[in-house]
Amino acid sequence: MSDQHASAELALGTTGIAKRGADAAESRTANRIWWDADADDYHAEHGDFLGAADFMWCPEGVREADVRYLGDVAGRRVLEVGCGSAPCARWLKTAGADVVAFDISAGMLRHAVAGNASTGIDVPLVQASADQLPFAAESFDAACSAFGAVPFVADVGEVFAEVARVLRPGAPWVFSVTHPIRWIFPDDPGPGGLTVTQSYFDRTPYVEVDDTGRATYVEHHRTMGDYVRALVAAGLVLEDVVEPEWPAGHTRTWGQWSPLRGRLFPGTAILRTRKP
């Protein structure tokens, strides 16, 4: 638990951390209520960095406008997975894409609705979980997720299988997550975050609970190998793994991301895949 999320923890009655598993249903419920409770504070802290209609892949500042991991999206139907307030989806629409964005959290989608209104860029929004997509098979030309949904779902194989199901042949699926190596360190942007405190191979999820034991936040750890195996099992082809270096002159601290840690080891992994 941390000071930056104190209001969400107070609202949800979070009292501690439990070293235990969390199944699909509990993970969905916990993360829906967490992001509902934290949505306002999250956007107050990070909204300026994310922008209203900008596609930022990670705290290191990698923009889709520069890297074009999704290719030319003009005229393509694109799905954003775990959209939050949907700045990425709005940027995609300005680039000519036909976009649909979804998130599990009504609180996040409330900010997405406000973002649509303030920018005049109207992106269709859906409330859904990434392991239960309410979309037809082969209905999208690309899918993307910038730190959305993937770490918060109990079975990442189900997420990848669902994404593969809704993509048309040849479509890219590109997503960014906290780099798996970060799991071994505390979530501390300072010197305390440079000392290993747990095993990379311990897949026990991080679970915060209230005084009844109810999960109020769940995040699941996978090794890099776990991600690759799940992608292959879903029938997707891995084309690249991008580990962005900390850019010169970038002084922003975002949660556990900081210039100190960023100069020493990666904070983000961007996995670029494609449906054959």
Side-chain angles (χ1 to χ4, degrees):
M1 298 182 290
S2 65
D3 291 341
Q4 65 183 347
H5 301 301
S7 61
E9 291 163 0
L10 180 63
L12 297 174
T14 300
T15 56
I17 300 167
K19 189 72 171 176
R20 64 168 176 82
D23 65 14
E26 185 175 37
S27 297
R28 287 188 209 107
T29 299
N31 285 302
R32 186 184 70 250
I33 64 172
W34 168 262
W35 290 109
D36 284 354
D38 196 51
D40 290 350
D41 286 349
Y42 179 87
H43 286 96
E45 184 174 359
H46 303 303
D48 289 346
F49 180 77
L50 294 172
D54 194 5
F55 195 140
M56 192 77 72
W57 279 108
C58 54
E60 291 85 354
V62 178
R63 282 183 162 88
E64 177 62 11
D66 299 322
V67 296
R68 300 288 179 169
Y69 291 149
L70 297 174
D72 183 2
V73 297
R76 302 295 183 93
R77 192 161 190 250
V78 182
L79 178 66
E80 185 181 5
V81 175
C83 66
S85 59
C88 299
R90 285 188 289 275
W91 181 88
L92 287 165
K93 185 159 185 179
T94 66
D98 174 17
V99 191
V100 176
F102 78 86
D103 201 279
I104 197 169
S105 164
M108 284 293 191
L109 292 173
R110 174 169 48 81
H111 283 271
V113 170
N116 282 357
S118 67
T119 61
I121 305 169
D122 190 19
V123 170
L125 302 167
V126 176
Q127 186 172 15
S129 181
D131 55 351
Q132 298 175 325
L133 298 186
F135 306 111
E138 299 191 0
S139 55
F140 292 94
D141 301 302
C144 59
S145 183
F147 278 81
V150 174
F152 306 107
V153 177
D155 186 348
V156 76
E158 285 294 319
V159 177
F160 295 161
E162 280 289 87
V163 170
R165 178 183 65 81
V166 303
L167 288 178
R168 298 179 178 124
W173 158 232
V174 184
F175 64 96
S176 60
V177 291
T178 301
H179 197 291
I181 198 65
R182 286 287 174 105
W183 186 256
I184 71 177
F185 301 102
D187 279 356
D188 182 343
L194 303 180
T195 302
V196 172
T197 57
Q198 64 182 22
S199 169
Y200 178 74
F201 303 104
D202 182 359
R203 275 84 161 182
T204 307
Y206 175 81
V207 181
E208 295 181 1
V209 296
D210 64 14
D211 58 7
T212 70
R214 177 192 68 151
T216 58
Y217 178 90
V218 176
E219 187 168 348
H220 295 269
H221 168 60
R222 286 102 189 185
T223 67
M224 191 65 78
D226 293 338
Y227 279 120
V228 172
R229 282 184 290 275
L231 289 164
V232 171
L236 296 160
V237 175
L238 179 62
E239 296 184 331
D240 192 13
V241 177
V242 182
E243 299 166 299
E245 294 186 41
W246 195 262
H250 187 42
T251 60
R252 183 186 180 93
T253 295
W254 174 316
Q256 57 153 309
W257 276 262
S258 66
L260 172 66
R261 283 157 60 96
R263 285 192 296 267
L264 298 173
F265 48 86
T268 297
I270 305 172
L271 288 88
R272 302 179 59 192
T273 79
R274 192 172 300 274
K275 181 175 178 177

